[in-house]
Amino acid sequence: MRTRREVLGMALVAPLAAACAPDLLLGNPGAVRIGVSWSGSELAAFRTVLARLGYDRPVDVVPLGDDIETAFTAGGRSAPDIVMLPRAGRVRPLAEQRKLRPVGEGLWSDELGPRYPDVWRQLLQHNGKPYGVPFKAADKSLVWYNRQLVAEYGLGDPAGWTLADWLDRMEVLAETPVRLLALGAADGWVLTDVFENALLAESPRIYDEVAVARDNRVWESPAVRAAFDHLGSLWGHRHAFPGGIAGALTKQFPDAVREVFEHRRAVMVVEADFAEPIVRAAVRRSGRRVEDVVGVAAFPAVAAGLDAPRIVGGDVMVVTESANDRAMELVALLAAPSAPLPWIEEDGGFIAPNLRTSARYSPFLEPSARSLGRRTAFDLSDRIGAVGGRNGLWRILTDFLVTVGDGKTERLEAATDRAIAALGAVDQGRR
């Protein structure tokens, strides 16, 4: 399974990393080095942000992809000074291990009060000091849909649907060439996003207990079981995905986006805001107009009258223990409200966590940009360490999908038992 950052690099601007590789390996003497997990379009957008900061010292950007953790074990000239960390839940453990320098409290507040929502401070503070600064937020509860397909098949308004309505629409589409959902199951994090939304929709209390616990997580909770039941009903529907489970397992997240907006084989796809550039490119290739085709809704509630899930994630800036004050100066510039404007307004797929940032967001992301500051649920898999990663939740959800997919819902109870036991085993193994 590849991460979205690897896939964005291959799908959109694959030659970029190769072209830059010699410079990155040699480095620039005296430069501030920034380790990032981005590639492709995201990396290019970040370079534009840096170019417009007005920073008068050399900067080396080091794309590390999945190996971002090596930034905290490297030494000498190869060691990054700043790391754009995609897992905010790692900040406290790294601070406890004395691998990070605390950042200035002034980056977190000004004369108007806090510059970031409190959910970020809870993750990035250790012993009363902040050890990171949010840079890039992500709306993890978005559903992108094809407005023309919705109208063509008389499906109604996705903004008002529940998860039960998703099942109903799968039945409506059963005799058509179109399926309701595209799923990039080759990327395990796509599966975790859906699971997290289902769990938060089922029980915010249990979601929070799983997120904050260091020992004895409540995997055996009825709410966790209910979340798997929701997934089993959706993923196990015989008419859920184009090409069935075999097709879903071979698709990465850009492929799933293209199924909806270029090939028109699915009505919608669950993806975060960073899918926007791929959505736009797919619509352009289809020969249609973006404003005519693209719709965005929020992930639905499990039933009418209940709250829908709203999850925030993102990338944070941390300063490694060996970095000098030049790195702190650059972090301060990147934390300025105006710093990400080129990415937001020219490239898209970026939401600023800084409450002072005033930007012209696309109509697709503007509602998310307004609401993210009020959200209190943070990306679960980013907070639970190895359990949320490739050999934990990613693998377990993939096995679950294979077991129940293509109409094998009679296996749901046993598949749920196996998944919950596997989560507990991975959790025990990490301690």
Side-chain angles (χ1 to χ4, degrees), residues 316-351:
V316 299
M317 296 183 281
V318 296
V319 180
T320 58
E321 188 274 334
S322 60
N324 58 35
D325 288 342
R326 294 198 304 275
M328 289 294 185
E329 294 170 5
L330 183 52
V331 166
L333 288 174
L334 287 166
S338 61
L341 292 184
W343 196 332
I344 296 169
E345 298 180 351
E346 298 172 22
D347 295 278
F350 186 110
I351 297 176

